[in-house]
Amino acid sequence: MAFRKVVKGTVLIGGGAIATVFGLSQFSQYRNKHDNFMYVQAAEPVNIPMKNHFPTREDQFLALQNTSEFDVLVIGGGATGCGCALDAVTRGLKTALVERDDFSSGTSSRSTKLIHGGVRYLQKAIMRLDFEQYRMVKEALHERANLLEIAPHLSGPLPIMLPVYKWWQLPYYWVGIKLYDLVAGSQCLKSSYVLSKSRALELFPMLQKDRLVGAIVYYDGQHNDARMNLAIALTAARYGAATANYTEVVHLLKKTDPKSGKERVCGARCRDVLTGQEFDVKAKCVINATGPFTDSVRKMDDQEVSNICQPSAGVHIVMPGYYSPDNMGLLDPATSDGRVIFFLPWEKMTIAGTTDTPTEVTPHPIPTEEDINFILTEVRNYLSCDVEVRRGDVLAAWSGIRPLVTDPSSKDTQSISRNHVVAVSDSGLVTIAGGKWTTYRSMAQDTIDAAIQAHNLKAGPCKTVGLLLQGAKDWSPTLYIRLVQDYGLESEVAQHLASTYGDKAFEVAKIAQVTGKRWPIVGKRLVSEFPYIEAEIMYGVKEYACTAVDMISRRTRLAFLNVQAADEALPRIIDIMGKELHWSEQKKKEELESAKKFLYYEMGYKAKSEQLTDSSEITLIPSDIDRYKKRFHMFDKEKKGFITILDVQSVLESISIQIDENTLHEILNEVDLNKNGQVELNEFLQLMSAIQKGYVSGSRLAVLMKTAEENLRERVVIPVDRSGGGL
Ligand SMILES: Cc1cc2nc3c(=O)[nH]c(=O)nc-3n(C[C@H](O)[C@H](O)[C@H](O)COP(=O)(O)OP(=O)(O)OC[C@H]3O[C@@H](n4cnc5c(N)ncnc54)[C@H](O)[C@@H]3O)c2cc1C
């Protein structure tokens, strides 16, 4: 009897829950179809005039040095700091922001690029009946809608597939994902849906099909994180905030409060990192928004304070676009060690990640080979065995540091706060730490509210909900067509400019160089396979780019997409920047060296180039060795045991292929492990062995030698009468 009651109760509750979810999902589908629902309720309009152009870096420096006292000085130019500066300035506060490197050079350019509520956190909220967790998801979903609305050119909804390999998981995940839609309410981007196995494979053909029973697709947002960060900084600058990159806070200024007799923070000593010049910036309130570096600034205020940041590194890898469909991501909710792995299309490439490893705080985190291999192994688990996941296909890799924090006011010092923390020290330093990219705006709002209260600042309410960012005002999804029609840009380039600069794309197009060709009329690409053009480098200088690294990693995203392509583009980028910024030859050389170092260590070039040396053991079978030796000797005709650039040139000439000498040097250099100017037979066999094992891909020498061999063989085999030659 009791058992029947339990079963009946379970069926009723379960059925009721499913019916509610179903009913509400029908409603949200209806809502999606009838698109006149508002995503976000905009705040009151800002009543400060917006400058037409952002000031130059020199103007910003003058403002920093000549303003007798700011209301607010923000330290840190990541998403959080720039969000604080924008919030403060639009409330009418006299605002300054300093960043010691480039805007977004820290964690904010190294994220998974998702604008999300956190499906995982919702699952925890339900399983543990944790209201705080639920509130966090709800807040993030609101912020997701806001961010997509205020910068539509830089962001958009992305469908993400959750492959299901066990029947019982299908209703379980479906209910979970439907609840995610429901919590978003009217801000749900698009309704989630279930897919049959065959439909899932149709949409994601690379998916592992054995045991697959179906899939669930849900929506989150995706953005270009570094450009979004810059858009926030530029918007703040246009509203009048004095924002400067390459300006480091070296210590805090303090004065004694006459009323309480206590020491109060009243500004900071700053150092222009590019010139070494130091100056003071005075402010009623100083905000520490330095992400993983939060403790170093807290210690400038109070040496004795204990650390709150528990840094954790997350690595991502970038693979060619063909690894994922153009517009569908994948989420593996349970990897071999319980982490979540995302596999997402981004800027026509595929991003996979991330890891989660305790780390030291450093401004230059390095992705390790172990991390890269962990991600590759996970990717192999859910891709079809027809798709060979090769180490050599990793085009770039980077590491970012999560600024996880414990709440300094919490008694339990061990527990990491799931949300952000705003704390005001005894001397008035306001610290904002933790949180995530998606919630940067609400974090900034909480911070400026706290700053106003702690420092008695006179300011209006927060204005940033619905406040459009740089480039958003006149952007429309068809704006790129006008760029093609008015300027004669390639369609792919125009689309890229529109989705990067929004309505400011016209300013880039205006300075684009005439190609002299019939088509495209303007817009010279930096490297052939990416739509970045030279004019962006000139424009990037206006957008406060000071170094070649700024240009390859945050104004353009080349370094994040393909390290080799970024390396190839560097000389031209440095030439253009050199002209704009009046660099000497020596300065250009230094820039090249430091950018190469950045690519080598921070963007995975080292790990990539070591694949050949690390896999130096030749594991080819004898028949393959014979085959490759024959190919090698087609070039090394005199059997010297090595090939030089002259050997390659002579073969290429015989088959009418023209490659300039510099490129040929580069091609040989990639394989010339002992750097003696020639490729020995052993080096060639190492290369072919590494290619077979998947450690190396895209070797120009290997493809060139194979093509030449095929060409020469055809010439030998085809009789004259069939080749069309002779009488
Ligand atoms: C691997 C990974 C993936 C992530 N993915 C996502 C995601 O998909 N979606 C999401 O919402 N969130 C994501 N996050 C979280 C998100 O990226 C971070 O929460 C956010 O970027 C932190 O921004 P921030 O401004 O606080 O820190 P940062 O971006 O690190 O900015 C802090 C800045 O302070 C500067 N600074 C430090 N000291 C000084 C000084 N003395 N003077 C001047 N400047 C100083 C630094 O140079 C730095 O630029 C991810 C994080 C990681 C690590």
Side-chain angles (χ1 to χ4, degrees):
M1 195 65 181
F3 175 73
R4 273 176 62 187
K5 264 189 183 165
V6 170
V7 172
K8 217 169 144 186
T10 313
V11 168
L12 277 174
I13 294 169
I18 291 177
T20 314
V21 169
F22 182 74
L24 288 164
S25 87
Q26 292 302 307
F27 166 71
S28 67
Q29 273 173 25
Y30 168 84
R31 211 213 61 238
N32 274 256
K33 276 188 209 147
H34 300 76
D35 221 0
N36 50 359
F37 278 74
M38 281 255 301
Y39 276 157
V40 284
Q41 182 74 45
E44 278 172 37
V46 179
N47 41 24
I48 305 164
M50 196 185 197
K51 295 180 183 135
N52 279 341
H53 294 285
F54 33 86
T56 62
R57 187 165 178 271
E58 290 67 37
D59 291 340
Q60 298 289 43
F61 260 86
L62 286 176
L64 281 178
Q65 291 170 5
N66 297 340
T67 304
S68 56
E69 189 183 46
F70 286 97
D71 291 318
V72 167
L73 165 64
V74 183
I75 314 175
T80 314
C82 291
C84 288
L86 181 60
D87 190 299
V89 76
T90 49
R91 291 192 203 211
L93 293 169
K94 214 183 275 179
T95 306
L97 176 144
V98 290
E99 160 57 53
R100 73 168 165 206
D101 197 287
D102 186 23
F103 301 114
S104 203
S105 56
T107 309
S108 298
S109 59
R110 298 160 190 254
S111 78
T112 312
K113 283 97 177 88
L114 281 177
I115 307 174
H116 62 154
V119 190
R120 217 163 25 128
Y121 299 117
L122 184 65
Q123 184 198 17
K124 278 189 199 156
I126 296 165
M127 303 303 262
R128 298 179 194 166
L129 294 176
D130 183 337
F131 185 72
E132 180 53 24
Q133 196 90 241
Y134 166 80
R135 209 190 49 74
M136 233 177 73
V137 176
K138 179 97 189 145
E139 179 191 43
L141 287 171
H142 169 76
E143 294 305 321
R144 179 184 76 171
N146 182 60
L147 196 45
L148 261 64
E149 187 146 311
I150 63 174
H153 55 302
L154 286 166
S155 62
L158 176 75
I160 301 176
M161 185 183 282
L162 229 145
V164 180
Y165 289 98
K166 291 191 178 86
W167 276 111
W168 65 265
Q169 286 177 335
L170 209 57
Y172 174 73
Y173 285 141
W174 181 75
V175 171
I177 294 286
K178 275 293 163 204
L179 283 172
Y180 190 59
D181 289 357
L182 286 176
V183 176
S186 65
Q187 294 172 332
C188 170
L189 302 177
K190 279 183 186 176
S191 284
S192 53
Y193 51 91
V194 176
L195 289 176
S196 65
K197 175 177 177 174
S198 59
R199 186 81 183 109
L201 289 170
E202 207 177 289
L203 289 173
F204 211 119
M206 317 72 184
L207 207 59
Q208 217 246 80
K209 37 184 164 292
D210 304 340
R211 294 180 297 109
L212 184 76
V213 292
I216 292 168
V217 175
Y218 74 100
Y219 285 78
D220 255 325
Q222 191 186 41
H223 66 155
N224 183 339
D225 52 4
R227 293 287 327 181
M228 185 71 90
N229 194 151
L230 187 70
I232 304 169
L234 296 177
T235 312
R238 283 183 61 196
Y239 276 116
T243 54
N245 54 355
Y246 291 99
T247 307
E248 179 175 22
V249 165
V250 284
H251 64 82
L252 296 175
L253 305 176
K254 286 194 175 174
K255 67 178 179 195
T256 310
D257 180 15
K259 277 193 215 146
S260 62
K262 276 187 180 174
E263 289 246 282
R264 303 286 290 168
V265 175
C266 63
R269 168 134 283 233
C270 297
R271 189 170 66 91
D272 178 346
V273 176
L274 302 179
T275 62
Q277 185 208 350
E278 291 199 1
F279 56 92
D280 289 343
V281 178
K282 301 265 178 61
K284 289 182 187 138
C285 169
V286 176
I287 294 174
N288 168 16
T290 52
F293 300 92
T294 191
D295 288 322
S296 62
V297 176
R298 289 174 70 244
K299 283 186 190 325
M300 288 181 194
D301 176 32
D302 176 2
Q303 276 292 327
E304 303 305 313
V305 86
S306 50
N307 287 354
I308 56 166
C309 183
Q310 298 194 11
S312 143
V315 169
H316 285 94
I317 59 173
V318 169
M319 306 184 76
Y322 56 72
Y323 270 95
S324 62
D326 281 353
N327 196 27
M328 177 73 77
L330 198 103
L331 162 68
D332 182 0
T335 61
S336 56
D337 67 351
R339 299 177 206 171
V340 167
I341 286 258
F342 283 102
F343 193 65
L344 309 167
W346 185 69
E347 301 281 315
K348 306 228 162 85
M349 294 286 160
T350 305
I351 296 186
T354 177
T355 56
D356 192 349
T357 337
T359 183
E360 293 292 307
V361 178
T362 157
H364 306 292
I366 294 171
T368 66
E369 191 53 33
E370 202 187 333
D371 291 325
I372 296 172
N373 280 324
F374 166 79
I375 301 170
L376 283 175
T377 309
E378 294 304 328
V379 168
R380 272 185 203 112
N381 283 342
Y382 51 81
L383 287 198
S384 153
C385 46
D386 304 344
V387 183
E388 197 193 334
V389 180
R390 303 179 301 179
R391 172 60 182 87
D393 285 340
V394 177
L395 303 173
W398 71 84
S399 171
I401 302 179
R402 287 181 193 82
L404 302 175
V405 287
T406 50
D407 186 344
S409 54
S410 155
K411 294 204 176 71
D412 177 8
T413 49
Q414 290 307 304
S415 73
I416 292 185
S417 168
R418 296 183 217 112
N419 209 338
H420 59 268
V421 166
V422 181
V424 184
S425 76
D426 285 347
S427 51
L429 175 73
V430 179
T431 293
I432 165 72
K436 56 182 182 177
W437 224 122
T438 310
T439 53
Y440 84 94
R441 194 213 59 82
S442 60
M443 289 164 70
Q445 178 174 351
D446 291 351
T447 312
I448 302 302
D449 282 346
I452 291 170
Q453 204 189 10
H455 292 270
N456 258 327
L457 303 175
K458 293 206 173 20
C462 174
K463 303 274 175 71
T464 52
V465 177
L467 180 77
L468 296 183
L469 298 184
Q470 168 85 352
K473 191 166 152 278
D474 293 323
W475 177 85
S476 79
T478 53
L479 181 142
Y480 77 95
I481 298 175
R482 272 184 52 212
L483 289 170
V484 177
Q485 291 175 339
D486 293 0
Y487 293 91
L489 283 160
E490 282 174 81
S491 182
E492 193 195 356
V493 170
Q495 284 184 41
H496 150 70
L497 294 184
S499 65
T500 305
Y501 305 91
D503 56 22
K504 302 287 171 236
F506 291 99
E507 292 184 18
V508 184
K510 258 183 235 162
I511 53 172
Q513 222 185 326
V514 175
T515 60
K517 291 196 244 165
R518 188 184 55 78
W519 193 259
I521 300 169
V522 299
K524 230 172 143 200
R525 289 186 183 224
L526 284 164
V527 274
S528 55
E529 75 267 41
F530 288 96
Y532 296 109
I533 56 170
E534 292 187 358
E536 291 181 76
I537 308 305
M538 291 184 264
Y539 194 74
V541 170
K542 291 194 177 80
E543 292 179 319
Y544 306 129
C546 299
T547 68
V549 173
D550 301 346
M551 213 54 98
I552 54 173
S553 51
R554 292 170 292 271
R555 299 307 175 284
T556 74
R557 305 305 308 267
L558 260 181
F560 280 79
L561 296 170
N562 187 326
V563 267
Q564 253 172 308
D567 186 50
E568 214 176 289
L570 269 175
R572 185 66 193 129
I573 290 177
I574 290 172
D575 257 2
I576 301 171
M577 287 188 84
K579 273 200 197 99
E580 298 288 313
L581 293 165
H582 313 293
W583 284 347
S584 64
E585 285 308 311
Q586 178 59 24
K587 171 74 178 159
K588 284 193 198 174
K589 223 174 118 205
E590 286 164 15
E591 280 295 317
L592 186 66
E593 266 166 32
S594 89
K596 277 186 178 285
K597 206 167 136 197
F598 167 79
L599 290 176
Y600 193 67
Y601 291 107
E602 285 183 57
M603 300 312 295
Y605 211 168
K606 177 172 187 277
K608 190 174 173 68
S609 40
E610 277 174 358
Q611 288 310 301
L612 196 51
T613 34
D614 285 356
S615 56
S616 47
E617 195 194 348
I618 297 167
T619 52
L620 298 167
I621 55 169
S623 58
D624 280 341
I625 294 186
D626 283 348
R627 190 154 59 94
Y628 294 136
K629 270 186 177 169
K630 271 194 200 130
R631 188 175 297 169
F632 186 83
H633 288 134
M634 278 187 159
F635 285 76
D636 176 24
K637 292 193 188 95
E638 299 116 55
K639 303 254 169 69
K640 314 181 285 296
F642 60 85
I643 52 178
T644 63
I645 189 163
L646 294 176
D647 295 324
V648 180
Q649 270 170 336
S650 124
V651 173
L652 293 185
E653 261 168 37
S654 71
I655 53 173
S656 312
I657 294 180
Q658 279 179 354
I659 296 181
D660 69 77
E661 198 170 321
N662 278 346
T663 314
L664 271 183
H665 270 297
E666 269 174 36
I667 292 176
L668 256 71
N669 197 34
E670 281 168 11
V671 185
D672 178 12
L673 299 176
N674 55 11
K675 303 292 169 213
N676 62 353
Q678 54 203 29
V679 173
E680 280 91 20
L681 175 62
N682 208 41
E683 285 172 330
F684 178 65
L685 292 177
Q686 277 175 29
L687 169 72
M688 298 317 289
S689 174
I691 289 174
Q692 266 200 4
K693 284 186 277 185
Y695 290 147
V696 169
S697 66
S699 162
R700 291 184 277 182
L701 186 69
V703 175
L704 201 110
M705 288 177 72
K706 186 164 179 270
T707 313
E709 184 190 50
E710 281 163 2
N711 243 291
L712 289 168
R713 201 184 302 134
E714 267 172 31
R715 285 173 189 224
V716 173
V717 171
I718 300 174
V720 176
D721 57 337
R722 284 189 50 214
S723 72
L727 289 170

